[in-house]
Amino acid sequence: MSSQIIQSQTTQSQSIQAPWQTAALLIARLIFAGVFLMAVTFKFMGMGDTAGYIAAAGFPFPRFLAWCAALLEAALVLCLLTGAFFTPAALVAAAYVLFLGFSFHGPSHWAGNQAEFGFFIDHFSFMAGLLFAAVHGPGRVLSLNPGWPGRA
């Protein structure tokens, strides 16, 4: 009986959200979406430059990959802003950020430019935030998907 009461209290406390928590979730979603929006905007403004950067990293089909990256980032912006498919989008974004960190700022780049190490570490900070967001979901306000897998 006591475990039912504790479970009921836990469920109630999880469904009640303080205004500061709601604001924090909305701000975090805006920041995540803003970062990807800036990235996709730069890609669409200079698809050739993006393809050149991808080619310089040694990837084949750089123009195709640049368009794939732009479309993925555009989809992530929509998911992060609306809350639709939020948890899967945050997980995909985290994997994407990890891939970008290693591919474009990884250890092979550090000898030529020490700043690359900083860029590499920044990707992990961003990835940590995305993983945290994936666990906690988009929040209940201004979200097309207020829950997340496993939450009632």
Side-chain angles (χ1 to χ4, degrees):
M1 174 115 169
S2 65
S3 65
Q4 290 174 336
I5 293 170
I6 292 170
Q7 185 175 12
S8 174
Q9 289 172 343
T10 302
T11 303
Q12 288 174 355
S13 68
Q14 287 177 347
S15 64
I16 298 170
Q17 195 172 56
W20 74 266
Q21 292 171 314
T22 299
L25 285 169
L26 289 173
I27 291 167
R29 283 174 45 198
L30 287 173
I31 291 169
F32 288 138
V35 168
F36 284 109
L37 181 61
M38 285 188 294
V40 74
T41 300
F42 290 132
K43 283 178 182 59
F44 284 130
M45 288 175 36
M47 196 60 73
D49 294 336
T50 301
Y53 194 60
I54 291 170
F59 290 101
F61 313 111
R63 177 76 65 167
F64 173 73
L65 291 176
W67 276 101
C68 289
L71 294 174
L72 172 64
E73 290 170 1
L76 290 173
V77 169
L78 290 174
C79 291
L80 295 169
L81 280 179
T82 66
F85 307 104
F86 185 85
T87 294
L91 292 172
V92 166
Y96 179 62
V97 166
L98 180 65
F99 166 76
L100 293 175
F102 275 101
S103 297
F104 297 98
H105 306 289
S108 64
H109 298 88
W110 299 346
N113 182 355
Q114 270 189 326
E116 290 294 335
F117 179 73
F119 298 143
F120 179 74
I121 295 301
D122 286 346
H123 280 72
F124 283 90
S125 300
F126 192 55
M127 184 181 71
L130 288 164
L131 291 173
F132 199 83
V135 169
H136 291 281
R140 299 189 184 285
V141 175
L142 296 175
S143 177
L144 296 177
N145 182 22
W148 63 278
R151 180 178 261 177

